[in-house]
Amino acid sequence: MTQQLDSDGRLLHLLTLEGLPKETLCRLLDRSGQIRDAALGRTQKRNSLLGITVCTLFFEPSTRTRSSFQIAAQRLGADVVNFDASTSSARKGETALDTLKNLEAMGVRGFIVRHPEDGAAEMLAGNAGEGTTVINAGDGRSAHPTQGLLDAMTLRQAKGADFSKLKVLIVGDVKHSRVARSDLHALRTLGTGEIRVCGPEALLPEPSTLAGCITGDDFDAMLRGVDAVMMLRLQRERMEEGLVASIDDYRRDYGLNAARLRLAAADAVVLHPGPINRGVEITDQVADGPQSLVLRQVSNGVAVRMAVLESLLA
Ligand code: NCD
């Protein structure tokens, strides 16, 4: 695997949260907290990335991740190029690596990569030139490290820094979710007291992903007493036919509604990475209700991405 840390423990790329030391993770979370006002545009633009050009290299659709990286880079003073596979020479068959090499030849220093294939960001990092930095913005089912960080930041704000007291439940299509994988890495590294993972058997991942977790397919039972519920989108684009019997069954068994949420702790919080299938994995009432941190996650995403860009490129 391409090294994302140098021998002094400095981050060269951000490809995964797996194996990232707790100090590095906490340093990024602390910095995200400090920078939050700037991330929300409440203070003047910074200039720590002045003169640096970064590119969002996206081979899959995105709303939140791409725009928040773009805003984060701009609020640090960087110039940003947006590459969109659907309107580029990728349509003519140009590879991701050739695309990166060409943009690198124009002086782009940082690449924020989203790609449908597992390992794509790591492959690009391994082939990038000296001084080029790659940030994984979601590769296949593998990893989405900045989502894992922003989810951890959001939980930390809501519940405090001591994760050992927390019971956290991840629900839904865990099998196809890079968000769940990165969340699990972050939750373990931060020493979460109890991690529960729930979904229909066909949507639970390989056992190695679930190491140390309590798993089950009974949503109501798994909800009891949890401090946080992390909902996931049904990733129908990554799914073989027939994995889910029907959307109605899924909604009945795994949809989070207000009545179900009462099974969790009274002050439980609800997270969802977006995009939401409203009325499928979560009802409007819960998604827009007082326990939902969905838009807080989005705001925190800008801060986390500023902290990551600054740490890698400043
Ligand atoms: C997620 C993704 O693309 O991995 N979205 C996001 O980045 N906020 C989750 C999803 O698509 O379901």
Side-chain angles (χ1 to χ4, degrees):
M1 134 133 220
T2 305
Q3 291 296 329
Q4 55 180 0
L5 294 166
D6 70 10
S7 50
D8 299 326
R10 217 175 52 94
L11 264 186
L12 302 172
H13 308 282
L14 182 63
L15 305 174
T16 175
L17 298 183
E18 187 172 13
L20 203 68
K22 185 171 180 184
E23 311 79 73
T24 310
L25 207 137
C26 288
R27 183 175 49 76
L28 288 170
L29 294 178
D30 291 344
R31 185 66 187 140
S32 307
Q34 288 163 2
I35 218 166
R36 198 161 179 271
D37 277 349
L40 296 177
R42 292 195 190 120
T43 63
Q44 248 195 330
K45 216 162 128 168
R46 297 177 174 236
N47 58 14
S48 50
L49 296 192
L50 208 62
I52 291 177
T53 305
V54 302
C55 174
T56 58
L57 196 60
F58 275 50
F59 295 86
E60 260 190 17
S62 168
T63 298
R64 279 150 294 273
T65 305
R66 183 207 279 271
S67 35
S68 74
F69 264 114
Q70 189 177 348
I71 291 167
Q74 284 168 343
R75 289 189 183 149
L76 291 168
D79 295 311
V80 186
V81 179
N82 285 310
F83 165 91
D84 181 350
S86 64
T87 55
S88 74
S89 289
R91 293 275 305 269
K92 303 178 189 164
E94 189 163 32
T95 66
L97 182 55
D98 278 333
T99 308
L100 178 137
K101 287 287 175 194
N102 277 268
L103 287 154
E104 212 176 34
M106 298 178 209
V108 175
R109 285 255 332 266
F111 290 90
I112 297 144
V113 179
R114 168 164 290 191
H115 200 282
E117 277 168 42
D118 296 322
E122 190 186 329
M123 180 279 286
L124 292 174
N127 289 286
E130 183 82 26
T132 295
T133 282
V134 174
I135 300 172
N136 186 1
D139 63 324
R141 310 171 177 196
S142 295
H144 193 349
T146 56
Q147 182 75 41
L149 287 170
L150 76 88
D151 287 345
M153 178 182 178
T154 306
L155 277 179
R156 209 159 83 146
Q157 270 176 352
K159 297 286 167 191
D162 182 4
F163 277 48
S164 69
K165 299 189 198 117
L166 295 184
K167 295 190 180 90
V168 178
L169 172 62
I170 299 181
V171 186
D173 184 3
V174 187
K175 185 185 180 97
H176 300 99
S177 177
R178 54 197 175 205
V179 172
R181 287 180 178 77
S182 286
D183 282 345
L184 285 167
H185 289 136
L187 290 171
R188 284 194 195 103
T189 303
L190 293 169
T192 307
E194 198 174 296
I195 307 174
R196 302 182 191 175
V197 174
C198 175
E201 179 115 16
L203 296 183
L204 288 181
E206 57 292 340
S208 57
T209 296
L210 297 172
C213 303
I214 299 171
T215 59
D217 62 2
D218 182 342
F219 189 17
D220 291 347
M222 297 289 267
L223 264 170
R224 276 177 222 286
V226 296
D227 302 293
V229 191
M230 304 175 92
M231 301 302 297
L232 299 170
R233 183 177 65 89
L234 263 186
Q235 310 255 316
R236 277 179 274 188
E237 74 277 22
R238 289 184 226 288
M239 213 177 267
E240 309 127 46
E241 282 300 305
L243 272 189
V244 175
S246 78
I247 294 299
D248 284 336
D249 289 350
Y250 188 84
R251 179 189 299 115
R252 184 194 62 220
D253 296 337
Y254 298 102
L256 184 60
N257 55 38
R260 271 208 166 115
L261 185 54
R262 277 184 226 112
L263 298 169
D267 60 351
V269 292
V270 177
L271 287 79
H272 191 303
I276 291 176
N277 291 309
R278 284 179 177 267
V280 178
E281 64 257 357
I282 189 167
T283 61
D284 289 343
Q285 201 188 353
V286 174
D288 305 329
Q291 288 166 272
S292 168
L293 299 181
V294 169
L295 292 177
R296 179 88 68 85
Q297 288 172 273
V298 178
S299 302
N300 286 342
V302 181
V304 155
R305 286 162 183 141
M306 281 176 83
V308 168
L309 285 165
E310 195 185 61
S311 156
L312 287 165
L313 289 162

